[in-house]
Amino acid sequence: MNLPLFIAQRTARSTASTQRTMVRIATVAVAVSIAVMVVTMAVVAGFRREIRAAISDMSADILVTDLTTLYGAEARPIHQSESLQSILDSVGHIERIEPYAMRGCVVRSKSDAKGIVIKGESSFSHRTTISNAIIEGSLPRIETQRYKELLLPESVAEELGVKCGERVEIISLNEGVISRPELFKVCGIYRVMGDLPTEIALTDIRNVQRINGWDNDTYSGFEIFTTEGTDNYTLSETINLYLFESYEGSENLSSVSAEQLYSNIFAWLETHDINAAVIIVIMFIVSLFNMITALLILLFERTRMVGILKSLGMNNRSIRQIFLYQAARIVGIGLLIGNGVAAALILVQKYCGVIKLDASAYFVAEVPVSIGVAQILIINTIFATVLLALLFAVTAIVAKIKPAEAVKYE
């Protein structure tokens, strides 16, 4: 028989009112702490996942383009070649590669004109974030027949005073000569999220190639979408190394990751990690102080029992185990309640989206949550292990209790 466990179970059933109160307070503290920790981690992980997915969907994980136009919209052609294809095939971790073409133009309506960047793509089937961001109309059609359709950002459409279905003129400058205006139909209007570029209109890639005077195998660059979990910065640097050593074309190609292009957004995500760490530390400290207080009260009110057990020959280690079992019971019940509450809150937010956000500022329309069972188990294991280890150190006070004085204690 495990005597310390047996005594702990019996004493837990017959505690005084003061002990019961402290045990309940400690249990609630553990439950609240673990619930806040799990929910915080779920929210932080959700933000990281959703924002990374949004950036990847809007701008790809890695861009390969001419170095001189990496951060601009100037039309510098890149020709598709076997040399570039072999380099991209050799690096691995690439899910797909999509070509794109860009052009800085002036879009003119009946009432106003504005400078924008037109970005042409060969397919919009993978642009889930953009599809969800459309507030009016639809994505440009990309079929066998070429359609002159334009998806405008909301801010540009408002400034030009145009609505979905209306027509606008596109004017560009080629080698110092103003091109003949081309009519485009506004097929849709989308809302730009966060700090992403607000003046990019989307269309069929063939429209931009025609404006630029390019052949069908000439592009502004290539968007690379990587497999999940890939270190995009490292992969981008690897591609740059291969381009420097092996690329045989005349273009000055370079690659850049989304983390480099949108460093301010990823820095903002890092602040969320810091905030989460602070919250977790605070919750752990609150839980620890409440547990220590409860354990000390249990010890002081069981001083006479400790003296009797010592006089009967029980060693300090076994007596400490009695109180540690009681502490483990409190922690276990607290974890069970806290995880249940956290799971309920996460599921309600995930499927009902109760807490809303301003998508233009936070990239998402509602607070995202994302956490797996493995992560919850890791949080619980670390929390319980560290807490019980510190509480075991507190039970060292048992060694200072003298049997002769303790049995007189009332």
Side-chain angles (χ1 to χ4, degrees):
M1 176 187 287
N2 188 338
L3 185 58
L5 178 60
F6 175 77
I7 296 173
Q9 290 173 338
R10 292 298 297 271
T11 53
R13 298 172 192 166
S14 57
T15 54
S17 60
T18 304
Q19 290 177 312
R20 283 199 299 270
T21 301
M22 286 309 305
V23 166
R24 288 169 182 168
I25 292 174
T27 303
V28 170
V30 172
V32 171
S33 296
I34 196 65
V36 171
M37 288 182 188
V38 172
V39 171
T40 300
M41 293 302 295
V43 171
V44 170
F47 265 111
R48 183 171 290 278
R49 185 196 67 183
E50 293 297 326
I51 292 176
R52 281 182 177 273
I55 293 175
S56 173
D57 192 60
M58 295 287 288
S59 182
D61 296 308
I62 297 173
L63 294 181
V64 174
T65 185
D66 189 282
L67 182 62
T68 58
T69 60
L70 194 56
Y71 296 93
E74 185 182 349
R76 291 293 183 92
I78 295 175
H79 300 280
Q80 196 169 26
S81 64
E82 293 183 3
S83 175
L84 178 59
Q85 189 61 48
S86 64
I87 288 172
L88 297 179
D89 289 340
S90 65
V91 295
H93 301 288
I94 293 177
E95 193 172 87
R96 67 179 184 276
I97 301 172
E98 299 285 348
Y100 70 93
M102 300 183 75
R103 180 73 185 188
C105 299
V106 173
V107 58
R108 186 171 64 186
S109 65
K110 294 178 181 179
S111 58
D112 207 346
K114 183 175 179 59
I116 65 168
V117 174
I118 298 181
K119 182 180 180 183
E121 300 197 13
S122 58
S123 172
F124 290 108
S125 60
H126 59 288
R127 300 299 195 186
T128 306
T129 302
I130 296 178
S131 298
N132 295 334
I134 293 176
I135 57 177
E136 185 182 353
S138 61
L139 287 164
R141 288 176 292 177
I142 299 180
E143 301 174 2
T144 304
Q145 179 182 347
R146 181 172 61 89
Y147 292 95
K148 297 172 71 173
E149 296 180 337
L150 208 59
L151 180 68
L152 285 178
E154 182 183 24
S155 59
V156 174
E158 289 179 351
E159 189 170 339
L160 294 175
V162 296
K163 296 182 179 180
C164 185
E166 297 183 357
R167 296 185 181 277
V168 294
E169 288 183 338
I170 297 296
I171 304 170
S172 63
L173 190 68
N174 288 320
E175 298 180 354
V177 179
I178 297 177
S179 65
R180 182 172 60 85
E182 294 198 31
L183 285 177
F184 276 74
K185 177 184 175 182
V186 178
C187 64
I189 298 171
Y190 75 101
R191 179 169 292 148
V192 180
M193 298 178 296
D195 294 331
L196 293 175
T198 59
E199 297 177 352
I200 294 182
L202 302 176
T203 189
D204 186 328
I205 192 171
R206 292 170 295 182
N207 290 327
V208 181
Q209 288 173 324
R210 185 174 182 276
I211 292 173
N212 289 338
W214 293 348
D215 297 329
N216 291 336
D217 63 346
T218 306
Y219 312 103
S220 294
F222 297 90
E223 295 178 331
I224 298 175
F225 297 86
T226 60
T227 55
E228 188 175 353
T230 301
D231 184 345
N232 294 327
Y233 177 80
T234 301
L235 183 60
S236 174
E237 292 302 305
T238 301
I239 294 174
N240 274 327
L241 180 63
Y242 287 173
L243 289 172
F244 179 76
E245 294 179 344
S246 307
Y247 184 61
E248 297 177 354
S250 59
E251 301 94 349
N252 188 18
L253 296 187
S254 180
S255 74
V256 62
S257 66
E259 287 83 353
Q260 293 169 290
L261 276 175
Y262 303 106
S263 57
N264 57 329
I265 297 175
F266 285 93
W268 177 71
L269 282 177
E270 293 298 327
T271 63
H272 280 68
D273 294 340
I274 296 172
N275 293 337
V278 171
I279 292 173
I280 289 173
V281 170
I282 291 173
M283 288 296 101
F284 179 79
I285 291 173
V286 170
S287 179
L288 178 62
F289 272 112
N290 279 279
M291 283 298 302
I292 290 175
T293 303
L295 190 58
L296 289 175
I297 289 176
L298 290 174
L299 276 167
F300 290 145
E301 293 204 357
R302 294 291 179 180
T303 300
R304 191 167 185 271
M305 183 193 77
V306 172
I308 293 173
L309 291 175
K310 280 192 173 185
S311 64
L312 292 175
M314 182 174 281
N315 58 38
N316 288 327
R317 181 180 178 183
S318 297
I319 296 174
R320 292 173 71 178
Q321 286 179 349
I322 295 173
F323 295 101
L324 196 62
Y325 280 131
Q326 290 182 329
R329 180 175 180 272
I330 295 171
V331 172
I333 295 173
L335 291 179
L336 187 62
I337 296 171
N339 282 289
V341 172
L345 292 174
I346 290 171
L347 290 174
V348 167
Q349 180 60 28
K350 182 176 182 179
Y351 293 105
C352 300
V354 177
I355 305 176
K356 304 295 183 180
L357 293 173
D358 181 3
S360 62
Y362 292 97
F363 295 88
V364 287
E366 57 192 41
V367 173
V369 288
S370 174
I371 194 166
V373 176
Q375 293 170 299
I376 293 176
L377 290 175
I378 291 172
I379 294 171
N380 279 263
T381 301
I382 294 175
F383 177 75
T385 301
V386 175
L387 192 60
L388 291 174
L390 293 173
L391 292 175
F392 182 75
V394 174
T395 59
I397 195 173
V398 168
K400 298 183 180 180
I401 298 177
K402 297 179 181 179
E405 297 177 0
V407 287
K408 299 178 183 179
Y409 181 79
E410 291 294 340

PDB file of all heavy atoms in Angstrom, residues 248-275:
ATOM      1  N   GLU A 248      22.545  31.529 -66.074  1.00  0.00           N
ATOM      2  CA  GLU A 248      23.231  31.847 -67.322  1.00  0.00           C
ATOM      3  C   GLU A 248      22.548  32.947 -68.125  1.00  0.00           C
ATOM      4  O   GLU A 248      23.027  33.330 -69.193  1.00  0.00           O
ATOM      5  CB  GLU A 248      23.338  30.578 -68.173  1.00  0.00           C
ATOM      6  CG  GLU A 248      24.178  29.484 -67.503  1.00  0.00           C
ATOM      7  CD  GLU A 248      24.203  28.216 -68.326  1.00  0.00           C
ATOM      8  OE1 GLU A 248      23.469  28.159 -69.342  1.00  0.00           O
ATOM      9  OE2 GLU A 248      24.931  27.279 -67.955  1.00  0.00           O
ATOM     10  N   GLY A 249      21.419  33.464 -67.641  1.00  0.00           N
ATOM     11  CA  GLY A 249      20.717  34.513 -68.368  1.00  0.00           C
ATOM     12  C   GLY A 249      21.384  35.864 -68.197  1.00  0.00           C
ATOM     13  O   GLY A 249      22.293  36.051 -67.390  1.00  0.00           O
ATOM     14  N   SER A 250      20.884  36.853 -68.942  1.00  0.00           N
ATOM     15  CA  SER A 250      21.465  38.199 -68.901  1.00  0.00           C
ATOM     16  C   SER A 250      20.853  39.063 -67.801  1.00  0.00           C
ATOM     17  O   SER A 250      21.402  40.101 -67.447  1.00  0.00           O
ATOM     18  CB  SER A 250      21.258  38.886 -70.261  1.00  0.00           C
ATOM     19  OG  SER A 250      19.872  38.962 -70.570  1.00  0.00           O
ATOM     20  N   GLU A 251      19.683  38.632 -67.248  1.00  0.00           N
ATOM     21  CA  GLU A 251      19.014  39.436 -66.215  1.00  0.00           C
ATOM     22  C   GLU A 251      19.759  39.351 -64.887  1.00  0.00           C
ATOM     23  O   GLU A 251      20.410  38.355 -64.579  1.00  0.00           O
ATOM     24  CB  GLU A 251      17.565  38.964 -66.011  1.00  0.00           C
ATOM     25  CG  GLU A 251      16.698  39.037 -67.252  1.00  0.00           C
ATOM     26  CD  GLU A 251      16.685  37.721 -68.006  1.00  0.00           C
ATOM     27  OE1 GLU A 251      17.506  36.838 -67.684  1.00  0.00           O
ATOM     28  OE2 GLU A 251      15.864  37.576 -68.923  1.00  0.00           O
ATOM     29  N   ASN A 252      19.649  40.425 -64.139  1.00  0.00           N
ATOM     30  CA  ASN A 252      20.267  40.487 -62.806  1.00  0.00           C
ATOM     31  C   ASN A 252      19.237  40.014 -61.782  1.00  0.00           C
ATOM     32  O   ASN A 252      18.630  40.813 -61.075  1.00  0.00           O
ATOM     33  CB  ASN A 252      20.724  41.920 -62.514  1.00  0.00           C
ATOM     34  CG  ASN A 252      21.537  41.998 -61.242  1.00  0.00           C
ATOM     35  OD1 ASN A 252      22.037  40.995 -60.745  1.00  0.00           O
ATOM     36  ND2 ASN A 252      21.661  43.196 -60.693  1.00  0.00           N
ATOM     37  N   LEU A 253      19.046  38.690 -61.695  1.00  0.00           N
ATOM     38  CA  LEU A 253      17.978  38.139 -60.873  1.00  0.00           C
ATOM     39  C   LEU A 253      18.357  38.057 -59.397  1.00  0.00           C
ATOM     40  O   LEU A 253      19.517  37.868 -59.037  1.00  0.00           O
ATOM     41  CB  LEU A 253      17.594  36.738 -61.368  1.00  0.00           C
ATOM     42  CG  LEU A 253      17.008  36.643 -62.776  1.00  0.00           C
ATOM     43  CD1 LEU A 253      16.512  35.237 -63.051  1.00  0.00           C
ATOM     44  CD2 LEU A 253      15.890  37.648 -62.973  1.00  0.00           C
ATOM     45  N   SER A 254      17.328  38.194 -58.567  1.00  0.00           N
ATOM     46  CA  SER A 254      17.505  38.070 -57.125  1.00  0.00           C
ATOM     47  C   SER A 254      16.205  37.549 -56.531  1.00  0.00           C
ATOM     48  O   SER A 254      15.129  37.718 -57.112  1.00  0.00           O
ATOM     49  CB  SER A 254      17.876  39.416 -56.500  1.00  0.00           C
ATOM     50  OG  SER A 254      18.040  39.283 -55.100  1.00  0.00           O
ATOM     51  N   SER A 255      16.298  36.918 -55.375  1.00  0.00           N
ATOM     52  CA  SER A 255      15.095  36.442 -54.678  1.00  0.00           C
ATOM     53  C   SER A 255      14.993  37.124 -53.327  1.00  0.00           C
ATOM     54  O   SER A 255      16.008  37.485 -52.718  1.00  0.00           O
ATOM     55  CB  SER A 255      15.138  34.916 -54.504  1.00  0.00           C
ATOM     56  OG  SER A 255      16.055  34.551 -53.498  1.00  0.00           O
ATOM     57  N   VAL A 256      13.764  37.296 -52.865  1.00  0.00           N
ATOM     58  CA  VAL A 256      13.524  37.912 -51.569  1.00  0.00           C
ATOM     59  C   VAL A 256      12.325  37.222 -50.928  1.00  0.00           C
ATOM     60  O   VAL A 256      11.353  36.869 -51.605  1.00  0.00           O
ATOM     61  CB  VAL A 256      13.272  39.441 -51.721  1.00  0.00           C
ATOM     62  CG1 VAL A 256      12.038  39.715 -52.556  1.00  0.00           C
ATOM     63  CG2 VAL A 256      13.141  40.103 -50.367  1.00  0.00           C
ATOM     64  N   SER A 257      12.407  36.987 -49.625  1.00  0.00           N
ATOM     65  CA  SER A 257      11.319  36.308 -48.914  1.00  0.00           C
ATOM     66  C   SER A 257      10.275  37.311 -48.451  1.00  0.00           C
ATOM     67  O   SER A 257      10.527  38.523 -48.385  1.00  0.00           O
ATOM     68  CB  SER A 257      11.868  35.540 -47.713  1.00  0.00           C
ATOM     69  OG  SER A 257      12.393  36.439 -46.751  1.00  0.00           O
ATOM     70  N   ALA A 258       9.099  36.809 -48.108  1.00  0.00           N
ATOM     71  CA  ALA A 258       8.027  37.672 -47.600  1.00  0.00           C
ATOM     72  C   ALA A 258       8.448  38.337 -46.292  1.00  0.00           C
ATOM     73  O   ALA A 258       8.059  39.469 -46.015  1.00  0.00           O
ATOM     74  CB  ALA A 258       6.758  36.849 -47.395  1.00  0.00           C
ATOM     75  N   GLU A 259       9.275  37.642 -45.492  1.00  0.00           N
ATOM     76  CA  GLU A 259       9.750  38.219 -44.226  1.00  0.00           C
ATOM     77  C   GLU A 259      10.591  39.465 -44.469  1.00  0.00           C
ATOM     78  O   GLU A 259      10.585  40.394 -43.648  1.00  0.00           O
ATOM     79  CB  GLU A 259      10.558  37.188 -43.443  1.00  0.00           C
ATOM     80  CG  GLU A 259       9.746  36.074 -42.811  1.00  0.00           C
ATOM     81  CD  GLU A 259       9.436  34.937 -43.765  1.00  0.00           C
ATOM     82  OE1 GLU A 259       9.736  35.071 -44.978  1.00  0.00           O
ATOM     83  OE2 GLU A 259       8.883  33.928 -43.333  1.00  0.00           O
ATOM     84  N   GLN A 260      11.305  39.481 -45.582  1.00  0.00           N
ATOM     85  CA  GLN A 260      12.116  40.653 -45.907  1.00  0.00           C
ATOM     86  C   GLN A 260      11.274  41.766 -46.522  1.00  0.00           C
ATOM     87  O   GLN A 260      11.473  42.941 -46.221  1.00  0.00           O
ATOM     88  CB  GLN A 260      13.239  40.249 -46.875  1.00  0.00           C
ATOM     89  CG  GLN A 260      14.272  39.316 -46.261  1.00  0.00           C
ATOM     90  CD  GLN A 260      15.203  38.741 -47.302  1.00  0.00           C
ATOM     91  OE1 GLN A 260      14.806  37.921 -48.129  1.00  0.00           O
ATOM     92  NE2 GLN A 260      16.449  39.185 -47.294  1.00  0.00           N
ATOM     93  N   LEU A 261      10.340  41.401 -47.369  1.00  0.00           N
ATOM     94  CA  LEU A 261       9.490  42.405 -48.014  1.00  0.00           C
ATOM     95  C   LEU A 261       8.576  43.104 -47.018  1.00  0.00           C
ATOM     96  O   LEU A 261       8.332  44.304 -47.103  1.00  0.00           O
ATOM     97  CB  LEU A 261       8.638  41.743 -49.095  1.00  0.00           C
ATOM     98  CG  LEU A 261       9.268  41.560 -50.472  1.00  0.00           C
ATOM     99  CD1 LEU A 261       8.335  40.775 -51.371  1.00  0.00           C
ATOM    100  CD2 LEU A 261       9.605  42.897 -51.109  1.00  0.00           C
ATOM    101  N   TYR A 262       8.076  42.336 -46.051  1.00  0.00           N
ATOM    102  CA  TYR A 262       7.126  42.880 -45.071  1.00  0.00           C
ATOM    103  C   TYR A 262       7.678  42.711 -43.658  1.00  0.00           C
ATOM    104  O   TYR A 262       7.033  42.142 -42.777  1.00  0.00           O
ATOM    105  CB  TYR A 262       5.771  42.188 -45.216  1.00  0.00           C
ATOM    106  CG  TYR A 262       5.201  42.297 -46.603  1.00  0.00           C
ATOM    107  CD1 TYR A 262       5.191  41.203 -47.468  1.00  0.00           C
ATOM    108  CD2 TYR A 262       4.694  43.503 -47.070  1.00  0.00           C
ATOM    109  CE1 TYR A 262       4.685  41.306 -48.753  1.00  0.00           C
ATOM    110  CE2 TYR A 262       4.179  43.613 -48.359  1.00  0.00           C
ATOM    111  CZ  TYR A 262       4.184  42.510 -49.188  1.00  0.00           C
ATOM    112  OH  TYR A 262       3.683  42.623 -50.459  1.00  0.00           O
ATOM    113  N   SER A 263       8.882  43.206 -43.467  1.00  0.00           N
ATOM    114  CA  SER A 263       9.551  43.056 -42.171  1.00  0.00           C
ATOM    115  C   SER A 263       8.779  43.732 -41.043  1.00  0.00           C
ATOM    116  O   SER A 263       8.805  43.263 -39.903  1.00  0.00           O
ATOM    117  CB  SER A 263      10.966  43.635 -42.247  1.00  0.00           C
ATOM    118  OG  SER A 263      10.933  44.998 -42.652  1.00  0.00           O
ATOM    119  N   ASN A 264       8.083  44.830 -41.354  1.00  0.00           N
ATOM    120  CA  ASN A 264       7.312  45.528 -40.311  1.00  0.00           C
ATOM    121  C   ASN A 264       6.166  44.666 -39.795  1.00  0.00           C
ATOM    122  O   ASN A 264       5.864  44.670 -38.597  1.00  0.00           O
ATOM    123  CB  ASN A 264       6.776  46.853 -40.845  1.00  0.00           C
ATOM    124  CG  ASN A 264       5.924  46.690 -42.090  1.00  0.00           C
ATOM    125  OD1 ASN A 264       6.150  45.777 -42.894  1.00  0.00           O
ATOM    126  ND2 ASN A 264       4.935  47.548 -42.276  1.00  0.00           N
ATOM    127  N   ILE A 265       5.535  43.908 -40.685  1.00  0.00           N
ATOM    128  CA  ILE A 265       4.428  43.047 -40.266  1.00  0.00           C
ATOM    129  C   ILE A 265       4.939  41.904 -39.396  1.00  0.00           C
ATOM    130  O   ILE A 265       4.342  41.577 -38.361  1.00  0.00           O
ATOM    131  CB  ILE A 265       3.689  42.489 -41.500  1.00  0.00           C
ATOM    132  CG1 ILE A 265       3.072  43.644 -42.298  1.00  0.00           C
ATOM    133  CG2 ILE A 265       2.619  41.496 -41.085  1.00  0.00           C
ATOM    134  CD1 ILE A 265       2.425  43.212 -43.597  1.00  0.00           C
ATOM    135  N   PHE A 266       6.056  41.303 -39.796  1.00  0.00           N
ATOM    136  CA  PHE A 266       6.595  40.190 -39.013  1.00  0.00           C
ATOM    137  C   PHE A 266       7.176  40.675 -37.688  1.00  0.00           C
ATOM    138  O   PHE A 266       7.170  39.943 -36.700  1.00  0.00           O
ATOM    139  CB  PHE A 266       7.637  39.432 -39.835  1.00  0.00           C
ATOM    140  CG  PHE A 266       7.035  38.573 -40.910  1.00  0.00           C
ATOM    141  CD1 PHE A 266       6.862  39.053 -42.197  1.00  0.00           C
ATOM    142  CD2 PHE A 266       6.614  37.294 -40.628  1.00  0.00           C
ATOM    143  CE1 PHE A 266       6.279  38.281 -43.183  1.00  0.00           C
ATOM    144  CE2 PHE A 266       6.027  36.498 -41.603  1.00  0.00           C
ATOM    145  CZ  PHE A 266       5.866  36.991 -42.887  1.00  0.00           C
ATOM    146  N   ALA A 267       7.674  41.909 -37.655  1.00  0.00           N
ATOM    147  CA  ALA A 267       8.118  42.490 -36.379  1.00  0.00           C
ATOM    148  C   ALA A 267       6.925  42.676 -35.445  1.00  0.00           C
ATOM    149  O   ALA A 267       7.032  42.481 -34.227  1.00  0.00           O
ATOM    150  CB  ALA A 267       8.822  43.823 -36.627  1.00  0.00           C
ATOM    151  N   TRP A 268       5.785  43.070 -36.029  1.00  0.00           N
ATOM    152  CA  TRP A 268       4.553  43.209 -35.240  1.00  0.00           C
ATOM    153  C   TRP A 268       4.139  41.860 -34.655  1.00  0.00           C
ATOM    154  O   TRP A 268       3.696  41.781 -33.504  1.00  0.00           O
ATOM    155  CB  TRP A 268       3.462  43.780 -36.143  1.00  0.00           C
ATOM    156  CG  TRP A 268       2.117  43.913 -35.497  1.00  0.00           C
ATOM    157  CD1 TRP A 268       1.745  44.798 -34.525  1.00  0.00           C
ATOM    158  CD2 TRP A 268       0.950  43.146 -35.801  1.00  0.00           C
ATOM    159  NE1 TRP A 268       0.420  44.617 -34.204  1.00  0.00           N
ATOM    160  CE2 TRP A 268      -0.094  43.618 -34.976  1.00  0.00           C
ATOM    161  CE3 TRP A 268       0.682  42.104 -36.693  1.00  0.00           C
ATOM    162  CZ2 TRP A 268      -1.384  43.075 -35.012  1.00  0.00           C
ATOM    163  CZ3 TRP A 268      -0.599  41.578 -36.738  1.00  0.00           C
ATOM    164  CH2 TRP A 268      -1.603  42.061 -35.907  1.00  0.00           C
ATOM    165  N   LEU A 269       4.314  40.783 -35.431  1.00  0.00           N
ATOM    166  CA  LEU A 269       4.005  39.451 -34.923  1.00  0.00           C
ATOM    167  C   LEU A 269       4.923  39.072 -33.764  1.00  0.00           C
ATOM    168  O   LEU A 269       4.493  38.408 -32.805  1.00  0.00           O
ATOM    169  CB  LEU A 269       4.145  38.412 -36.051  1.00  0.00           C
ATOM    170  CG  LEU A 269       2.999  38.321 -37.046  1.00  0.00           C
ATOM    171  CD1 LEU A 269       3.344  37.309 -38.123  1.00  0.00           C
ATOM    172  CD2 LEU A 269       1.700  37.951 -36.359  1.00  0.00           C
ATOM    173  N   GLU A 270       6.189  39.481 -33.842  1.00  0.00           N
ATOM    174  CA  GLU A 270       7.128  39.175 -32.765  1.00  0.00           C
ATOM    175  C   GLU A 270       6.700  39.841 -31.457  1.00  0.00           C
ATOM    176  O   GLU A 270       6.899  39.291 -30.377  1.00  0.00           O
ATOM    177  CB  GLU A 270       8.536  39.648 -33.155  1.00  0.00           C
ATOM    178  CG  GLU A 270       9.157  38.891 -34.312  1.00  0.00           C
ATOM    179  CD  GLU A 270       9.341  37.414 -34.009  1.00  0.00           C
ATOM    180  OE1 GLU A 270       9.603  37.081 -32.832  1.00  0.00           O
ATOM    181  OE2 GLU A 270       9.210  36.592 -34.933  1.00  0.00           O
ATOM    182  N   THR A 271       6.105  41.033 -31.541  1.00  0.00           N
ATOM    183  CA  THR A 271       5.633  41.692 -30.312  1.00  0.00           C
ATOM    184  C   THR A 271       4.519  40.880 -29.665  1.00  0.00           C
ATOM    185  O   THR A 271       4.380  40.873 -28.436  1.00  0.00           O
ATOM    186  CB  THR A 271       5.130  43.115 -30.607  1.00  0.00           C
ATOM    187  OG1 THR A 271       4.005  43.064 -31.489  1.00  0.00           O
ATOM    188  CG2 THR A 271       6.224  43.956 -31.239  1.00  0.00           C
ATOM    189  N   HIS A 272       3.728  40.192 -30.468  1.00  0.00           N
ATOM    190  CA  HIS A 272       2.687  39.328 -29.910  1.00  0.00           C
ATOM    191  C   HIS A 272       3.308  38.172 -29.130  1.00  0.00           C
ATOM    192  O   HIS A 272       2.784  37.756 -28.090  1.00  0.00           O
ATOM    193  CB  HIS A 272       1.798  38.776 -31.031  1.00  0.00           C
ATOM    194  CG  HIS A 272       0.756  39.741 -31.504  1.00  0.00           C
ATOM    195  ND1 HIS A 272       1.063  40.892 -32.179  1.00  0.00           N
ATOM    196  CD2 HIS A 272      -0.597  39.738 -31.368  1.00  0.00           C
ATOM    197  CE1 HIS A 272      -0.041  41.550 -32.467  1.00  0.00           C
ATOM    198  NE2 HIS A 272      -1.061  40.876 -31.984  1.00  0.00           N
ATOM    199  N   ASP A 273       4.409  37.637 -29.621  1.00  0.00           N
ATOM    200  CA  ASP A 273       5.092  36.559 -28.901  1.00  0.00           C
ATOM    201  C   ASP A 273       5.590  37.043 -27.546  1.00  0.00           C
ATOM    202  O   ASP A 273       5.500  36.326 -26.546  1.00  0.00           O
ATOM    203  CB  ASP A 273       6.273  36.033 -29.733  1.00  0.00           C
ATOM    204  CG  ASP A 273       5.802  35.350 -31.011  1.00  0.00           C
ATOM    205  OD1 ASP A 273       4.626  34.955 -31.062  1.00  0.00           O
ATOM    206  OD2 ASP A 273       6.611  35.212 -31.940  1.00  0.00           O
ATOM    207  N   ILE A 274       6.122  38.274 -27.520  1.00  0.00           N
ATOM    208  CA  ILE A 274       6.607  38.845 -26.255  1.00  0.00           C
ATOM    209  C   ILE A 274       5.439  39.041 -25.290  1.00  0.00           C
ATOM    210  O   ILE A 274       5.533  38.701 -24.100  1.00  0.00           O
ATOM    211  CB  ILE A 274       7.335  40.171 -26.509  1.00  0.00           C
ATOM    212  CG1 ILE A 274       8.594  39.936 -27.358  1.00  0.00           C
ATOM    213  CG2 ILE A 274       7.701  40.855 -25.197  1.00  0.00           C
ATOM    214  CD1 ILE A 274       9.271  41.208 -27.824  1.00  0.00           C
ATOM    215  N   ASN A 275       4.336  39.581 -25.799  1.00  0.00           N
ATOM    216  CA  ASN A 275       3.160  39.780 -24.952  1.00  0.00           C
ATOM    217  C   ASN A 275       2.649  38.460 -24.388  1.00  0.00           C
ATOM    218  O   ASN A 275       2.257  38.384 -23.217  1.00  0.00           O
ATOM    219  CB  ASN A 275       2.043  40.463 -25.752  1.00  0.00           C
ATOM    220  CG  ASN A 275       2.388  41.884 -26.144  1.00  0.00           C
ATOM    221  OD1 ASN A 275       3.235  42.520 -25.510  1.00  0.00           O
ATOM    222  ND2 ASN A 275       1.751  42.397 -27.179  1.00  0.00           N
TER     223      ASN A 275
END
